mmCIF file with all atom_site columns, all heavy atoms in Angstrom:
data_model
loop_
_atom_site.group_PDB
_atom_site.id
_atom_site.type_symbol
_atom_site.label_atom_id
_atom_site.label_alt_id
_atom_site.label_comp_id
_atom_site.label_asym_id
_atom_site.label_entity_id
_atom_site.label_seq_id
_atom_site.pdbx_PDB_ins_code
_atom_site.Cartn_x
_atom_site.Cartn_y
_atom_site.Cartn_z
_atom_site.occupancy
_atom_site.B_iso_or_equiv
_atom_site.pdbx_formal_charge
_atom_site.auth_seq_id
_atom_site.auth_comp_id
_atom_site.auth_asym_id
_atom_site.auth_atom_id
_atom_site.pdbx_PDB_model_num
ATOM 1   N N   . ARG A 1 1  ? 100.406 85.547  96.441  1.00 0.00 ? 6  ARG A N   1
ATOM 2   C CA  . ARG A 1 1  ? 100.633 86.924  96.735  1.00 0.00 ? 6  ARG A CA  1
ATOM 3   C C   . ARG A 1 1  ? 99.395  87.830  96.608  1.00 0.00 ? 6  ARG A C   1
ATOM 4   O O   . ARG A 1 1  ? 99.105  88.730  97.438  1.00 0.00 ? 6  ARG A O   1
ATOM 5   C CB  . ARG A 1 1  ? 101.668 87.455  95.836  1.00 0.00 ? 6  ARG A CB  1
ATOM 6   C CG  . ARG A 1 1  ? 102.290 88.848  96.083  1.00 0.00 ? 6  ARG A CG  1
ATOM 7   C CD  . ARG A 1 1  ? 103.566 89.050  95.316  1.00 0.00 ? 6  ARG A CD  1
ATOM 8   N NE  . ARG A 1 1  ? 104.086 90.443  95.475  1.00 0.00 ? 6  ARG A NE  1
ATOM 9   C CZ  . ARG A 1 1  ? 105.198 90.826  94.843  1.00 0.00 ? 6  ARG A CZ  1
ATOM 10  N NH1 . ARG A 1 1  ? 105.870 90.016  94.072  1.00 0.00 ? 6  ARG A NH1 1
ATOM 11  N NH2 . ARG A 1 1  ? 105.564 92.164  95.107  1.00 0.00 ? 6  ARG A NH2 1
ATOM 12  N N   . ALA A 1 2  ? 98.527  87.558  95.561  1.00 0.00 ? 7  ALA A N   1
ATOM 13  C CA  . ALA A 1 2  ? 97.292  88.252  95.355  1.00 0.00 ? 7  ALA A CA  1
ATOM 14  C C   . ALA A 1 2  ? 96.376  88.191  96.555  1.00 0.00 ? 7  ALA A C   1
ATOM 15  O O   . ALA A 1 2  ? 95.700  89.092  96.954  1.00 0.00 ? 7  ALA A O   1
ATOM 16  C CB  . ALA A 1 2  ? 96.645  87.866  94.087  1.00 0.00 ? 7  ALA A CB  1
ATOM 17  N N   . ARG A 1 3  ? 96.288  86.991  97.121  1.00 0.00 ? 8  ARG A N   1
ATOM 18  C CA  . ARG A 1 3  ? 95.349  86.699  98.212  1.00 0.00 ? 8  ARG A CA  1
ATOM 19  C C   . ARG A 1 3  ? 95.733  87.460  99.426  1.00 0.00 ? 8  ARG A C   1
ATOM 20  O O   . ARG A 1 3  ? 95.007  87.995  100.101 1.00 0.00 ? 8  ARG A O   1
ATOM 21  C CB  . ARG A 1 3  ? 95.359  85.167  98.537  1.00 0.00 ? 8  ARG A CB  1
ATOM 22  C CG  . ARG A 1 3  ? 94.271  84.824  99.547  1.00 0.00 ? 8  ARG A CG  1
ATOM 23  C CD  . ARG A 1 3  ? 92.901  84.987  98.912  1.00 0.00 ? 8  ARG A CD  1
ATOM 24  N NE  . ARG A 1 3  ? 91.818  84.541  99.862  1.00 0.00 ? 8  ARG A NE  1
ATOM 25  C CZ  . ARG A 1 3  ? 90.908  85.367  100.303 1.00 0.00 ? 8  ARG A CZ  1
ATOM 26  N NH1 . ARG A 1 3  ? 91.025  86.694  100.025 1.00 0.00 ? 8  ARG A NH1 1
ATOM 27  N NH2 . ARG A 1 3  ? 90.006  84.940  101.141 1.00 0.00 ? 8  ARG A NH2 1
ATOM 28  N N   . ILE A 1 4  ? 97.129  87.453  99.741  1.00 0.00 ? 9  ILE A N   1
ATOM 29  C CA  . ILE A 1 4  ? 97.568  88.256  100.881 1.00 0.00 ? 9  ILE A CA  1
ATOM 30  C C   . ILE A 1 4  ? 97.281  89.738  100.650 1.00 0.00 ? 9  ILE A C   1
ATOM 31  O O   . ILE A 1 4  ? 96.891  90.487  101.548 1.00 0.00 ? 9  ILE A O   1
ATOM 32  C CB  . ILE A 1 4  ? 99.133  88.044  101.031 1.00 0.00 ? 9  ILE A CB  1
ATOM 33  C CG1 . ILE A 1 4  ? 99.427  86.578  101.488 1.00 0.00 ? 9  ILE A CG1 1
ATOM 34  C CG2 . ILE A 1 4  ? 99.657  89.068  102.063 1.00 0.00 ? 9  ILE A CG2 1
ATOM 35  C CD1 . ILE A 1 4  ? 98.850  86.231  102.877 1.00 0.00 ? 9  ILE A CD1 1
ATOM 36  N N   . ALA A 1 5  ? 97.420  90.212  99.414  1.00 0.00 ? 10 ALA A N   1
ATOM 37  C CA  . ALA A 1 5  ? 97.177  91.631  99.064  1.00 0.00 ? 10 ALA A CA  1
ATOM 38  C C   . ALA A 1 5  ? 95.661  91.949  99.372  1.00 0.00 ? 10 ALA A C   1
ATOM 39  O O   . ALA A 1 5  ? 95.323  93.040  99.860  1.00 0.00 ? 10 ALA A O   1
ATOM 40  C CB  . ALA A 1 5  ? 97.580  91.899  97.606  1.00 0.00 ? 10 ALA A CB  1
ATOM 41  N N   . GLU A 1 6  ? 94.826  91.074  99.006  1.00 0.00 ? 11 GLU A N   1
ATOM 42  C CA  . GLU A 1 6  ? 93.392  91.246  99.235  1.00 0.00 ? 11 GLU A CA  1
ATOM 43  C C   . GLU A 1 6  ? 93.110  91.296  100.781 1.00 0.00 ? 11 GLU A C   1
ATOM 44  O O   . GLU A 1 6  ? 92.324  92.160  101.172 1.00 0.00 ? 11 GLU A O   1
ATOM 45  C CB  . GLU A 1 6  ? 92.551  90.092  98.626  1.00 0.00 ? 11 GLU A CB  1
ATOM 46  C CG  . GLU A 1 6  ? 92.508  90.098  97.049  1.00 0.00 ? 11 GLU A CG  1
ATOM 47  C CD  . GLU A 1 6  ? 91.812  88.873  96.551  1.00 0.00 ? 11 GLU A CD  1
ATOM 48  O OE1 . GLU A 1 6  ? 91.329  88.088  97.376  1.00 0.00 ? 11 GLU A OE1 1
ATOM 49  O OE2 . GLU A 1 6  ? 91.744  88.671  95.324  1.00 0.00 ? 11 GLU A OE2 1
ATOM 50  N N   . LEU A 1 7  ? 93.725  90.404  101.512 1.00 0.00 ? 12 LEU A N   1
ATOM 51  C CA  . LEU A 1 7  ? 93.520  90.422  102.954 1.00 0.00 ? 12 LEU A CA  1
ATOM 52  C C   . LEU A 1 7  ? 94.017  91.782  103.513 1.00 0.00 ? 12 LEU A C   1
ATOM 53  O O   . LEU A 1 7  ? 93.376  92.267  104.521 1.00 0.00 ? 12 LEU A O   1
ATOM 54  C CB  . LEU A 1 7  ? 94.237  89.136  103.567 1.00 0.00 ? 12 LEU A CB  1
ATOM 55  C CG  . LEU A 1 7  ? 93.581  87.774  103.242 1.00 0.00 ? 12 LEU A CG  1
ATOM 56  C CD1 . LEU A 1 7  ? 94.554  86.714  103.720 1.00 0.00 ? 12 LEU A CD1 1
ATOM 57  C CD2 . LEU A 1 7  ? 92.230  87.657  103.821 1.00 0.00 ? 12 LEU A CD2 1
ATOM 58  N N   . ALA A 1 8  ? 95.184  92.169  103.135 1.00 0.00 ? 13 ALA A N   1
ATOM 59  C CA  . ALA A 1 8  ? 95.778  93.381  103.638 1.00 0.00 ? 13 ALA A CA  1
ATOM 60  C C   . ALA A 1 8  ? 94.859  94.619  103.316 1.00 0.00 ? 13 ALA A C   1
ATOM 61  O O   . ALA A 1 8  ? 94.595  95.420  104.199 1.00 0.00 ? 13 ALA A O   1
ATOM 62  C CB  . ALA A 1 8  ? 97.088  93.627  103.047 1.00 0.00 ? 13 ALA A CB  1
ATOM 63  N N   . GLU A 1 9  ? 94.269  94.589  102.135 1.00 0.00 ? 14 GLU A N   1
ATOM 64  C CA  . GLU A 1 9  ? 93.362  95.669  101.748 1.00 0.00 ? 14 GLU A CA  1
ATOM 65  C C   . GLU A 1 9  ? 92.111  95.733  102.541 1.00 0.00 ? 14 GLU A C   1
ATOM 66  O O   . GLU A 1 9  ? 91.527  96.791  102.866 1.00 0.00 ? 14 GLU A O   1
ATOM 67  C CB  . GLU A 1 9  ? 93.035  95.584  100.247 1.00 0.00 ? 14 GLU A CB  1
ATOM 68  C CG  . GLU A 1 9  ? 92.219  96.671  99.768  1.00 0.00 ? 14 GLU A CG  1
ATOM 69  C CD  . GLU A 1 9  ? 91.887  96.525  98.251  1.00 0.00 ? 14 GLU A CD  1
ATOM 70  O OE1 . GLU A 1 9  ? 92.463  95.664  97.615  1.00 0.00 ? 14 GLU A OE1 1
ATOM 71  O OE2 . GLU A 1 9  ? 91.146  97.359  97.742  1.00 0.00 ? 14 GLU A OE2 1
ATOM 72  N N   . GLY A 1 10 ? 91.724  94.482  103.079 1.00 0.00 ? 15 GLY A N   1
ATOM 73  C CA  . GLY A 1 10 ? 90.497  94.361  103.931 1.00 0.00 ? 15 GLY A CA  1
ATOM 74  C C   . GLY A 1 10 ? 90.815  94.566  105.389 1.00 0.00 ? 15 GLY A C   1
ATOM 75  O O   . GLY A 1 10 ? 89.901  94.382  106.186 1.00 0.00 ? 15 GLY A O   1
ATOM 76  N N   . GLY A 1 11 ? 92.056  94.871  105.711 1.00 0.00 ? 16 GLY A N   1
ATOM 77  C CA  . GLY A 1 11 ? 92.436  95.218  107.137 1.00 0.00 ? 16 GLY A CA  1
ATOM 78  C C   . GLY A 1 11 ? 92.650  93.919  107.962 1.00 0.00 ? 16 GLY A C   1
ATOM 79  O O   . GLY A 1 11 ? 92.643  94.013  109.105 1.00 0.00 ? 16 GLY A O   1
ATOM 80  N N   . ALA A 1 12 ? 92.865  92.745  107.235 1.00 0.00 ? 17 ALA A N   1
ATOM 81  C CA  . ALA A 1 12 ? 93.045  91.504  107.892 1.00 0.00 ? 17 ALA A CA  1
ATOM 82  C C   . ALA A 1 12 ? 94.446  91.110  108.244 1.00 0.00 ? 17 ALA A C   1
ATOM 83  O O   . ALA A 1 12 ? 94.673  90.068  108.752 1.00 0.00 ? 17 ALA A O   1
ATOM 84  C CB  . ALA A 1 12 ? 92.367  90.395  107.004 1.00 0.00 ? 17 ALA A CB  1
ATOM 85  N N   . VAL A 1 13 ? 95.383  92.009  107.866 1.00 0.00 ? 18 VAL A N   1
ATOM 86  C CA  . VAL A 1 13 ? 96.839  91.765  108.114 1.00 0.00 ? 18 VAL A CA  1
ATOM 87  C C   . VAL A 1 13 ? 97.441  92.836  109.108 1.00 0.00 ? 18 VAL A C   1
ATOM 88  O O   . VAL A 1 13 ? 97.244  94.050  108.846 1.00 0.00 ? 18 VAL A O   1
ATOM 89  C CB  . VAL A 1 13 ? 97.637  91.735  106.858 1.00 0.00 ? 18 VAL A CB  1
ATOM 90  C CG1 . VAL A 1 13 ? 99.129  91.483  107.185 1.00 0.00 ? 18 VAL A CG1 1
ATOM 91  C CG2 . VAL A 1 13 ? 97.093  90.698  105.879 1.00 0.00 ? 18 VAL A CG2 1
ATOM 92  N N   . ARG A 1 14 ? 98.023  92.431  110.164 1.00 0.00 ? 19 ARG A N   1
ATOM 93  C CA  . ARG A 1 14 ? 98.567  93.348  111.140 1.00 0.00 ? 19 ARG A CA  1
ATOM 94  C C   . ARG A 1 14 ? 100.072 92.981  111.458 1.00 0.00 ? 19 ARG A C   1
ATOM 95  O O   . ARG A 1 14 ? 100.351 91.785  111.576 1.00 0.00 ? 19 ARG A O   1
ATOM 96  C CB  . ARG A 1 14 ? 97.839  93.411  112.384 1.00 0.00 ? 19 ARG A CB  1
ATOM 97  C CG  . ARG A 1 14 ? 96.452  94.135  112.277 1.00 0.00 ? 19 ARG A CG  1
ATOM 98  C CD  . ARG A 1 14 ? 95.783  94.281  113.621 1.00 0.00 ? 19 ARG A CD  1
ATOM 99  N NE  . ARG A 1 14 ? 95.314  93.052  114.140 1.00 0.00 ? 19 ARG A NE  1
ATOM 100 C CZ  . ARG A 1 14 ? 94.089  92.426  113.694 1.00 0.00 ? 19 ARG A CZ  1
ATOM 101 N NH1 . ARG A 1 14 ? 93.352  93.059  112.757 1.00 0.00 ? 19 ARG A NH1 1
ATOM 102 N NH2 . ARG A 1 14 ? 93.717  91.286  114.169 1.00 0.00 ? 19 ARG A NH2 1
ATOM 103 N N   . LEU A 1 15 ? 100.854 93.982  111.522 1.00 0.00 ? 20 LEU A N   1
ATOM 104 C CA  . LEU A 1 15 ? 102.296 93.762  111.988 1.00 0.00 ? 20 LEU A CA  1
ATOM 105 C C   . LEU A 1 15 ? 102.512 94.572  113.289 1.00 0.00 ? 20 LEU A C   1
ATOM 106 O O   . LEU A 1 15 ? 102.257 95.738  113.340 1.00 0.00 ? 20 LEU A O   1
ATOM 107 C CB  . LEU A 1 15 ? 103.256 94.311  110.864 1.00 0.00 ? 20 LEU A CB  1
ATOM 108 C CG  . LEU A 1 15 ? 103.430 93.630  109.536 1.00 0.00 ? 20 LEU A CG  1
ATOM 109 C CD1 . LEU A 1 15 ? 104.336 94.384  108.652 1.00 0.00 ? 20 LEU A CD1 1
ATOM 110 C CD2 . LEU A 1 15 ? 103.922 92.158  109.841 1.00 0.00 ? 20 LEU A CD2 1
ATOM 111 N N   . ASP A 1 16 ? 102.962 93.679  114.315 1.00 0.00 ? 21 ASP A N   1
ATOM 112 C CA  . ASP A 1 16 ? 103.158 94.323  115.620 1.00 0.00 ? 21 ASP A CA  1
ATOM 113 C C   . ASP A 1 16 ? 101.876 95.076  116.037 1.00 0.00 ? 21 ASP A C   1
ATOM 114 O O   . ASP A 1 16 ? 102.064 96.265  116.622 1.00 0.00 ? 21 ASP A O   1
ATOM 115 C CB  . ASP A 1 16 ? 104.371 95.221  115.678 1.00 0.00 ? 21 ASP A CB  1
ATOM 116 C CG  . ASP A 1 16 ? 105.706 94.334  115.579 1.00 0.00 ? 21 ASP A CG  1
ATOM 117 O OD1 . ASP A 1 16 ? 105.630 93.215  116.021 1.00 0.00 ? 21 ASP A OD1 1
ATOM 118 O OD2 . ASP A 1 16 ? 106.711 94.884  115.111 1.00 0.00 ? 21 ASP A OD2 1
ATOM 119 N N   . GLY A 1 17 ? 100.748 94.597  115.720 1.00 0.00 ? 22 GLY A N   1
ATOM 120 C CA  . GLY A 1 17 ? 99.500  95.182  116.255 1.00 0.00 ? 22 GLY A CA  1
ATOM 121 C C   . GLY A 1 17 ? 98.943  96.276  115.328 1.00 0.00 ? 22 GLY A C   1
ATOM 122 O O   . GLY A 1 17 ? 97.800  96.782  115.606 1.00 0.00 ? 22 GLY A O   1
ATOM 123 N N   . LYS A 1 18 ? 99.631  96.645  114.231 1.00 0.00 ? 23 LYS A N   1
ATOM 124 C CA  . LYS A 1 18 ? 99.173  97.753  113.385 1.00 0.00 ? 23 LYS A CA  1
ATOM 125 C C   . LYS A 1 18 ? 98.812  97.173  112.002 1.00 0.00 ? 23 LYS A C   1
ATOM 126 O O   . LYS A 1 18 ? 99.469  96.336  111.491 1.00 0.00 ? 23 LYS A O   1
ATOM 127 C CB  . LYS A 1 18 ? 100.259 98.810  113.254 1.00 0.00 ? 23 LYS A CB  1
ATOM 128 C CG  . LYS A 1 18 ? 100.656 99.460  114.553 1.00 0.00 ? 23 LYS A CG  1
ATOM 129 C CD  . LYS A 1 18 ? 101.809 100.472 114.367 1.00 0.00 ? 23 LYS A CD  1
ATOM 130 C CE  . LYS A 1 18 ? 102.292 101.081 115.626 1.00 0.00 ? 23 LYS A CE  1
ATOM 131 N NZ  . LYS A 1 18 ? 103.344 102.101 115.459 1.00 0.00 ? 23 LYS A NZ  1
ATOM 132 N N   . PRO A 1 19 ? 97.711  97.764  111.419 1.00 0.00 ? 24 PRO A N   1
ATOM 133 C CA  . PRO A 1 19 ? 97.291  97.291  110.106 1.00 0.00 ? 24 PRO A CA  1
ATOM 134 C C   . PRO A 1 19 ? 98.487  97.533  109.120 1.00 0.00 ? 24 PRO A C   1
ATOM 135 O O   . PRO A 1 19 ? 99.195  98.447  109.144 1.00 0.00 ? 24 PRO A O   1
ATOM 136 C CB  . PRO A 1 19 ? 96.106  98.213  109.691 1.00 0.00 ? 24 PRO A CB  1
ATOM 137 C CG  . PRO A 1 19 ? 95.584  98.712  111.119 1.00 0.00 ? 24 PRO A CG  1
ATOM 138 C CD  . PRO A 1 19 ? 96.798  98.837  112.033 1.00 0.00 ? 24 PRO A CD  1
ATOM 139 N N   . ALA A 1 20 ? 98.543  96.535  108.232 1.00 0.00 ? 25 ALA A N   1
ATOM 140 C CA  . ALA A 1 20 ? 99.701  96.603  107.244 1.00 0.00 ? 25 ALA A CA  1
ATOM 141 C C   . ALA A 1 20 ? 99.126  96.645  105.795 1.00 0.00 ? 25 ALA A C   1
ATOM 142 O O   . ALA A 1 20 ? 98.045  95.963  105.552 1.00 0.00 ? 25 ALA A O   1
ATOM 143 C CB  . ALA A 1 20 ? 100.539 95.438  107.425 1.00 0.00 ? 25 ALA A CB  1
ATOM 144 N N   . THR A 1 21 ? 99.764  97.367  104.962 1.00 0.00 ? 26 THR A N   1
ATOM 145 C CA  . THR A 1 21 ? 99.376  97.317  103.583 1.00 0.00 ? 26 THR A CA  1
ATOM 146 C C   . THR A 1 21 ? 100.278 96.339  102.824 1.00 0.00 ? 26 THR A C   1
ATOM 147 O O   . THR A 1 21 ? 101.205 95.842  103.359 1.00 0.00 ? 26 THR A O   1
ATOM 148 C CB  . THR A 1 21 ? 99.602  98.663  102.823 1.00 0.00 ? 26 THR A CB  1
ATOM 149 O OG1 . THR A 1 21 ? 100.970 99.013  102.799 1.00 0.00 ? 26 THR A OG1 1
ATOM 150 C CG2 . THR A 1 21 ? 98.907  99.796  103.723 1.00 0.00 ? 26 THR A CG2 1
ATOM 151 N N   . LYS A 1 22 ? 99.854  95.942  101.576 1.00 0.00 ? 27 LYS A N   1
ATOM 152 C CA  . LYS A 1 22 ? 100.573 94.975  100.868 1.00 0.00 ? 27 LYS A CA  1
ATOM 153 C C   . LYS A 1 22 ? 102.000 95.380  100.531 1.00 0.00 ? 27 LYS A C   1
ATOM 154 O O   . LYS A 1 22 ? 102.901 94.517  100.331 1.00 0.00 ? 27 LYS A O   1
ATOM 155 C CB  . LYS A 1 22 ? 99.912  94.630  99.484  1.00 0.00 ? 27 LYS A CB  1
ATOM 156 C CG  . LYS A 1 22 ? 99.780  95.798  98.520  1.00 0.00 ? 27 LYS A CG  1
ATOM 157 C CD  . LYS A 1 22 ? 99.166  95.366  97.232  1.00 0.00 ? 27 LYS A CD  1
ATOM 158 C CE  . LYS A 1 22 ? 99.160  96.532  96.220  1.00 0.00 ? 27 LYS A CE  1
ATOM 159 N NZ  . LYS A 1 22 ? 98.442  96.202  94.920  1.00 0.00 ? 27 LYS A NZ  1
ATOM 160 N N   . SER A 1 23 ? 102.299 96.689  100.478 1.00 0.00 ? 28 SER A N   1
ATOM 161 C CA  . SER A 1 23 ? 103.643 97.158  100.073 1.00 0.00 ? 28 SER A CA  1
ATOM 162 C C   . SER A 1 23 ? 104.490 97.531  101.364 1.00 0.00 ? 28 SER A C   1
ATOM 163 O O   . SER A 1 23 ? 105.656 97.905  101.115 1.00 0.00 ? 28 SER A O   1
ATOM 164 C CB  . SER A 1 23 ? 103.559 98.304  99.177  1.00 0.00 ? 28 SER A CB  1
ATOM 165 O OG  . SER A 1 23 ? 102.861 99.443  99.749  1.00 0.00 ? 28 SER A OG  1
ATOM 166 N N   . ASP A 1 24 ? 103.994 97.398  102.453 1.00 0.00 ? 29 ASP A N   1
ATOM 167 C CA  . ASP A 1 24 ? 104.821 97.616  103.719 1.00 0.00 ? 29 ASP A CA  1
ATOM 168 C C   . ASP A 1 24 ? 105.899 96.515  103.649 1.00 0.00 ? 29 ASP A C   1
ATOM 169 O O   . ASP A 1 24 ? 105.823 95.494  103.098 1.00 0.00 ? 29 ASP A O   1
ATOM 170 C CB  . ASP A 1 24 ? 104.012 97.489  105.009 1.00 0.00 ? 29 ASP A CB  1
ATOM 171 C CG  . ASP A 1 24 ? 103.142 98.705  105.205 1.00 0.00 ? 29 ASP A CG  1
ATOM 172 O OD1 . ASP A 1 24 ? 103.373 99.719  104.608 1.00 0.00 ? 29 ASP A OD1 1
ATOM 173 O OD2 . ASP A 1 24 ? 102.168 98.562  105.996 1.00 0.00 ? 29 ASP A OD2 1
ATOM 174 N N   . ARG A 1 25 ? 107.012 96.853  104.379 1.00 0.00 ? 30 ARG A N   1
ATOM 175 C CA  . ARG A 1 25 ? 108.107 95.829  104.437 1.00 0.00 ? 30 ARG A CA  1
ATOM 176 C C   . ARG A 1 25 ? 108.170 95.127  105.827 1.00 0.00 ? 30 ARG A C   1
ATOM 177 O O   . ARG A 1 25 ? 107.832 95.685  106.838 1.00 0.00 ? 30 ARG A O   1
ATOM 178 C CB  . ARG A 1 25 ? 109.437 96.687  104.288 1.00 0.00 ? 30 ARG A CB  1
ATOM 179 C CG  . ARG A 1 25 ? 109.624 97.380  103.024 1.00 0.00 ? 30 ARG A CG  1
ATOM 180 C CD  . ARG A 1 25 ? 109.840 96.378  101.868 1.00 0.00 ? 30 ARG A CD  1
ATOM 181 N NE  . ARG A 1 25 ? 109.883 96.942  100.620 1.00 0.00 ? 30 ARG A NE  1
ATOM 182 C CZ  . ARG A 1 25 ? 110.344 96.294  99.395  1.00 0.00 ? 30 ARG A CZ  1
ATOM 183 N NH1 . ARG A 1 25 ? 110.685 95.109  99.462  1.00 0.00 ? 30 ARG A NH1 1
ATOM 184 N NH2 . ARG A 1 25 ? 110.280 96.979  98.285  1.00 0.00 ? 30 ARG A NH2 1
ATOM 185 N N   . LEU A 1 26 ? 108.450 93.825  105.728 1.00 0.00 ? 31 LEU A N   1
ATOM 186 C CA  . LEU A 1 26 ? 108.520 93.036  106.948 1.00 0.00 ? 31 LEU A CA  1
ATOM 187 C C   . LEU A 1 26 ? 109.896 93.266  107.613 1.00 0.00 ? 31 LEU A C   1
ATOM 188 O O   . LEU A 1 26 ? 110.803 93.601  106.922 1.00 0.00 ? 31 LEU A O   1
ATOM 189 C CB  . LEU A 1 26 ? 108.403 91.574  106.580 1.00 0.00 ? 31 LEU A CB  1
ATOM 190 C CG  . LEU A 1 26 ? 107.127 91.132  105.848 1.00 0.00 ? 31 LEU A CG  1
ATOM 191 C CD1 . LEU A 1 26 ? 107.165 89.669  105.389 1.00 0.00 ? 31 LEU A CD1 1
ATOM 192 C CD2 . LEU A 1 26 ? 105.936 91.237  106.873 1.00 0.00 ? 31 LEU A CD2 1
ATOM 193 N N   . HIS A 1 27 ? 109.982 93.090  108.889 1.00 0.00 ? 32 HIS A N   1
ATOM 194 C CA  . HIS A 1 27 ? 111.270 93.043  109.625 1.00 0.00 ? 32 HIS A CA  1
ATOM 195 C C   . HIS A 1 27 ? 111.338 91.823  110.520 1.00 0.00 ? 32 HIS A C   1
ATOM 196 O O   . HIS A 1 27 ? 110.341 91.390  111.034 1.00 0.00 ? 32 HIS A O   1
ATOM 197 C CB  . HIS A 1 27 ? 111.499 94.364  110.388 1.00 0.00 ? 32 HIS A CB  1
ATOM 198 C CG  . HIS A 1 27 ? 110.471 94.702  111.336 1.00 0.00 ? 32 HIS A CG  1
ATOM 199 N ND1 . HIS A 1 27 ? 109.268 95.370  111.136 1.00 0.00 ? 32 HIS A ND1 1
ATOM 200 C CD2 . HIS A 1 27 ? 110.450 94.401  112.692 1.00 0.00 ? 32 HIS A CD2 1
ATOM 201 C CE1 . HIS A 1 27 ? 108.618 95.449  112.210 1.00 0.00 ? 32 HIS A CE1 1
ATOM 202 N NE2 . HIS A 1 27 ? 109.164 94.898  113.272 1.00 0.00 ? 32 HIS A NE2 1
ATOM 203 N N   . ALA A 1 28 ? 112.472 91.277  110.562 1.00 0.00 ? 33 ALA A N   1
ATOM 204 C CA  . ALA A 1 28 ? 112.675 89.997  111.325 1.00 0.00 ? 33 ALA A CA  1
ATOM 205 C C   . ALA A 1 28 ? 112.223 90.136  112.816 1.00 0.00 ? 33 ALA A C   1
ATOM 206 O O   . ALA A 1 28 ? 112.523 91.150  113.413 1.00 0.00 ? 33 ALA A O   1
ATOM 207 C CB  . ALA A 1 28 ? 114.135 89.588  111.261 1.00 0.00 ? 33 ALA A CB  1
ATOM 208 N N   . GLY A 1 29 ? 111.422 89.178  113.222 1.00 0.00 ? 34 GLY A N   1
ATOM 209 C CA  . GLY A 1 29 ? 111.013 89.153  114.576 1.00 0.00 ? 34 GLY A CA  1
ATOM 210 C C   . GLY A 1 29 ? 109.603 89.829  114.774 1.00 0.00 ? 34 GLY A C   1
ATOM 211 O O   . GLY A 1 29 ? 109.081 89.803  115.916 1.00 0.00 ? 34 GLY A O   1
ATOM 212 N N   . ALA A 1 30 ? 109.077 90.485  113.787 1.00 0.00 ? 35 ALA A N   1
ATOM 213 C CA  . ALA A 1 30 ? 107.829 91.196  113.891 1.00 0.00 ? 35 ALA A CA  1
ATOM 214 C C   . ALA A 1 30 ? 106.706 90.170  114.128 1.00 0.00 ? 35 ALA A C   1
ATOM 215 O O   . ALA A 1 30 ? 106.757 89.078  113.565 1.00 0.00 ? 35 ALA A O   1
ATOM 216 C CB  . ALA A 1 30 ? 107.499 92.085  112.705 1.00 0.00 ? 35 ALA A CB  1
ATOM 217 N N   . LEU A 1 31 ? 105.752 90.547  114.838 1.00 0.00 ? 36 LEU A N   1
ATOM 218 C CA  . LEU A 1 31 ? 104.560 89.697  115.127 1.00 0.00 ? 36 LEU A CA  1
ATOM 219 C C   . LEU A 1 31 ? 103.581 89.946  114.012 1.00 0.00 ? 36 LEU A C   1
ATOM 220 O O   . LEU A 1 31 ? 103.136 91.008  113.807 1.00 0.00 ? 36 LEU A O   1
ATOM 221 C CB  . LEU A 1 31 ? 103.929 89.991  116.476 1.00 0.00 ? 36 LEU A CB  1
ATOM 222 C CG  . LEU A 1 31 ? 102.584 89.250  116.753 1.00 0.00 ? 36 LEU A CG  1
ATOM 223 C CD1 . LEU A 1 31 ? 102.945 87.772  117.001 1.00 0.00 ? 36 LEU A CD1 1
ATOM 224 C CD2 . LEU A 1 31 ? 101.928 89.707  118.072 1.00 0.00 ? 36 LEU A CD2 1
ATOM 225 N N   . VAL A 1 32 ? 103.203 88.780  113.303 1.00 0.00 ? 37 VAL A N   1
ATOM 226 C CA  . VAL A 1 32 ? 102.286 88.869  112.155 1.00 0.00 ? 37 VAL A CA  1
ATOM 227 C C   . VAL A 1 32 ? 100.888 88.227  112.634 1.00 0.00 ? 37 VAL A C   1
ATOM 228 O O   . VAL A 1 32 ? 100.996 87.249  113.166 1.00 0.00 ? 37 VAL A O   1
ATOM 229 C CB  . VAL A 1 32 ? 102.784 88.152  110.981 1.00 0.00 ? 37 VAL A CB  1
ATOM 230 C CG1 . VAL A 1 32 ? 101.847 88.174  109.842 1.00 0.00 ? 37 VAL A CG1 1
ATOM 231 C CG2 . VAL A 1 32 ? 104.114 88.734  110.527 1.00 0.00 ? 37 VAL A CG2 1
ATOM 232 N N   . GLU A 1 33 ? 99.856  88.970  112.308 1.00 0.00 ? 38 GLU A N   1
ATOM 233 C CA  . GLU A 1 33 ? 98.508  88.435  112.607 1.00 0.00 ? 38 GLU A CA  1
ATOM 234 C C   . GLU A 1 33 ? 97.716  88.573  111.294 1.00 0.00 ? 38 GLU A C   1
ATOM 235 O O   . GLU A 1 33 ? 97.588  89.632  110.722 1.00 0.00 ? 38 GLU A O   1
ATOM 236 C CB  . GLU A 1 33 ? 97.837  89.267  113.716 1.00 0.00 ? 38 GLU A CB  1
ATOM 237 C CG  . GLU A 1 33 ? 98.585  89.193  115.027 1.00 0.00 ? 38 GLU A CG  1
ATOM 238 C CD  . GLU A 1 33 ? 97.932  90.249  115.974 1.00 0.00 ? 38 GLU A CD  1
ATOM 239 O OE1 . GLU A 1 33 ? 98.366  91.461  115.910 1.00 0.00 ? 38 GLU A OE1 1
ATOM 240 O OE2 . GLU A 1 33 ? 97.125  89.900  116.790 1.00 0.00 ? 38 GLU A OE2 1
#
């Protein structure tokens, strides 16, 4: 979980094309990059 948080903080995580923070919520069917 800490590694994902680091990646999100560095802008390496996107949900449906938008940057995501570690505390954002996932929704079923969303595209994760």
